[in-house]
Each structure stands twice: as structure tokens, then as C-alpha cells.
Amino acid sequence: MTRGKRTATLQVSLLREGITESTHCTQAVVCDDKGRVLSAAGDPETATFIRSALKPFQASAVTSSGTLERYDLSDRDLAIICSSHQGTTAQARQVFNILWRCEIEPTALQCPIPSGAQSALQHNCSGKHAGMLAVCQQRHWMKENYLRRNHPVQQLILSRVAELLRLPPDELIGVHDDCGAPTYYMQLGQMATLYAQLASGDHLDLERVVRAMTHYPEFVAGEEKFDTELMRVTQGELVSKSGAEGIQCISRIGERVGLAIKVIDGSKRAKYAAAIHALKELGWISPMAADTLGEQFMTIGDYKRLEVSGELSLI
């Protein structure tokens, strides 16, 4: 990634009847597919965990290994593999469909059973886990330890991410996400670069992932959830994936540019507000789309709303 200067951060304020009650400091960076920083608010070299925004790249293990074709998996299956879903009946059934086609029992899933649920199929990361198990089945790899960082399926994913970032794999620090699967510590600019690569159209494995996510956004998150609603309102022009602790990554199809956002205090509400603000500034969404999304994600009840100040500065 091209080294860039630090600029002012975005400030996301919660206003109660027009008076500021709290403020979230937010960093954002835009990079091209070669890792060059184009614009930023804050420090592009801020490092944090990519969390679930990694899922489209974890899904590339399915599209690059022959697993998709071997088990005749659909774009719906691939979308749920990329998802942080809500555990609805339709979403859980889609995860089950992957396992059924691969002749894998649901008990092989090693993601937790959510509180109040009856099956790991309802966990928001179950699709990702099913995808990893499908690759293991296709490659005849052990399934009992598929979450270990040295397992072949995890090494396959790591190698692909490192290749896209033009880094040796051992430079990426891996830790376990809450679901037990590895996630990685990287600079915000590197996340933006990955998303620039994701929608560039230059990688067949990723192109299939993007098609699945944009054609079936209801499986990527769920009704009234940001990723789903953003991809719907932009009619497939943007691909979007949230991550926990204030991570949001977005790219515009075919333009080789990616946006990555990190809210310093991890706020979910603030990252959506910052994303709408940045997308409008970049010209990636229309004023009408910004208003629609703002009504959903920046208006909180009758008396509160979110407001964003600051801008992405050219580097």
C-alpha cells in the first residue's frame, strides 16, 4: 500500500432533537486495486481485524477449488457462504442445502449454537463454515480440525488473501474470530485494496462471488440490514460486507476501487452512517438512494438521528 498522510477523521454524532449527545470517531480510506491510497479520512495505515468483511475472500476457496462445480452449488449457496445472516428459516435451509449436497452432517459445523436456537445452522457464520467444510470434502481433507490456522483450507484462504495484497502469507497475523474461524489483522488501506480487487472483474473466482452477493443480497445479511439494503438500492452496482467492531467494506463493480471504514469505538450504527456519507461524497450512490438509506440507518426513533461531519481528503 502506498504510504499516505494522516487526515482529519469523520465524526458521526448522535443528535437528540438537534443537540449532540455522543460522537463516534471514524476512519475511512479509498484505495485502488494496486494498493494506492486515493482519498482518506484518518490514517490509512490504521491496523485492525477485518472480521466478517473477510468472508467474500474465504468464499473464494469454494470458487477456486472446483468445489462449486463438484457439488453443483448455486449462487444462492455462494451468497450464504459470504453472509453474516440472521438465522431465518430460509437462510438456515440454504446452509443445510450446501451440506446436504456435499453429504456432510450439520453436526460437522463447529460454529456455536446461538442462544435460544436449536442448531449451529442458525449461527450467522454457518454459511462460511459450510463452505469451508465443502472444500474439505472435495479435497479429501480432514473436517474435524478445519478451523485450525494450519489446516489446508485455512492455508488456501490465507494464500489467496496474501496473493491479492502482494504479501508473503506469514506477514498477516491470524487470530480466531468469535465463530472460531481465522480472521486477519491488517491495515485499513489493505482492506480497501482487497475490495478494489474483489469487484475489479480481473479474478474469475472473485467475480463469481460478487455475482452471487449482488444477485441474492437477502442471503448476505437479511431484510432491513445494511449490506442487503445497500446492494438492493444500488441494483448490483455496489458489493458490501460488514464486519463486527465498526468494520464496513464496499466496492463499486468494475471500477477497481474499494472503500474501507473503521469506527474506532466499534459502533455499528456509526459505520452505516459513515458509509452513507462516504458513498454520497464519492458519487457511488444517488441523492435519492442516500435519502432512502438515511431514513433506514440514520434516523433512530422519533427524537434521534445521526449526522456525519468531515470529508474524504485526496492523498
Side-chain angles (χ1 to χ4, degrees):
M1 188 186 74
T2 302
R3 189 174 182 86
K5 63 182 180 180
R6 183 182 178 92
T7 60
T9 60
L10 301 178
Q11 299 294 317
V12 182
S13 298
L14 176 69
L15 306 183
R16 182 179 295 275
E17 297 189 20
I19 300 172
T20 300
E21 184 170 10
S22 59
T23 302
H24 308 280
C25 179
T26 305
Q27 305 203 64
V29 60
V30 178
C31 290
D32 67 12
D33 60 341
K34 298 185 185 302
R36 294 175 294 201
V37 178
L38 305 180
S39 59
D43 185 357
E45 296 182 358
T46 295
T48 188
F49 298 109
I50 190 170
R51 301 299 298 271
S52 285
L54 184 65
K55 286 177 177 176
F57 306 94
Q58 292 167 314
S60 72
V62 176
T63 57
S64 65
S65 63
T67 302
L68 203 71
E69 295 78 11
R70 168 71 184 277
Y71 299 113
D72 195 26
L73 300 179
S74 67
D75 280 354
R76 287 183 176 88
D77 296 318
L78 193 52
I80 204 74
I81 289 170
C82 297
S83 74
S84 297
H85 64 77
Q86 304 305 300
T88 66
T89 299
Q91 291 169 333
R93 283 177 177 169
Q94 201 66 48
V95 178
F96 178 81
N97 181 68
I98 297 168
L99 298 174
W100 179 78
R101 286 183 173 277
C102 300
E103 298 184 350
I104 300 170
E105 291 295 324
T107 52
L109 292 170
Q110 292 183 23
C111 50
I113 298 174
S115 177
Q118 298 182 3
S119 168
L121 291 167
Q122 295 165 278
H123 190 276
N124 66 349
C125 295
S126 63
K128 173 181 72 178
H129 285 249
M132 292 173 179
L133 286 166
V135 175
C136 292
Q137 188 83 320
Q138 196 267 341
R139 290 290 182 93
H140 306 290
W141 291 334
M142 287 186 63
K143 295 189 288 293
E144 292 77 13
N145 61 348
Y146 73 93
L147 294 182
R148 291 184 181 175
R149 291 199 292 273
N150 62 354
H151 189 281
V153 72
Q154 304 302 340
Q155 290 298 304
L156 178 63
I157 293 164
L158 174 59
S159 295
R160 185 60 173 134
V161 171
E163 178 186 19
L164 291 169
L165 291 175
R166 300 177 180 88
L167 291 174
D170 59 7
E171 285 194 18
L172 290 170
I173 298 172
V175 299
H176 287 105
D177 210 327
D178 292 349
C179 70
T183 191
Y184 294 95
Y185 188 74
M186 62 182 71
Q187 294 177 5
L188 203 56
Q190 291 173 322
M191 297 181 204
T193 300
L194 284 177
Y195 272 73
Q197 296 267 15
L198 176 64
S200 68
D202 292 338
H203 310 284
L204 290 177
D205 58 332
L206 299 178
E207 191 172 358
R208 184 70 188 269
V209 168
V210 169
R211 187 179 80 180
M213 292 176 71
T214 54
H215 283 197
Y216 297 100
E218 66 273 18
F219 286 115
V220 177
E223 298 300 322
E224 301 182 357
K225 300 301 179 182
F226 185 78
D227 292 327
T228 294
E229 298 303 331
L230 176 60
M231 288 189 282
R232 278 179 174 166
V233 78
T234 56
Q235 299 181 322
E237 291 185 4
L238 302 182
V239 61
S240 176
K241 186 69 194 72
S242 293
E245 295 301 320
I247 292 292
Q248 185 68 48
C249 295
I250 302 167
S251 52
R252 194 172 188 185
I253 309 302
E255 299 217 351
R256 294 182 168 85
V257 178
L259 166 68
I261 292 168
K262 167 65 177 177
V263 183
I264 302 305
D265 66 8
S267 169
K268 181 186 293 186
R269 68 187 184 191
K271 71 179 178 181
Y272 300 148
I276 295 165
H277 178 82
L279 292 171
K280 187 175 179 180
E281 185 180 345
L282 290 166
W284 289 10
I285 57 174
S286 67
M288 183 178 295
D291 288 344
T292 299
L293 293 166
E295 284 295 317
Q296 289 180 279
F297 299 102
M298 296 178 71
T299 301
I300 306 172
D302 294 332
Y303 310 113
K304 297 180 292 182
R305 63 183 174 86
L306 296 169
E307 186 175 89
V308 185
S309 60
E311 62 183 15
L312 292 162
S313 300
L314 295 177
I315 298 297

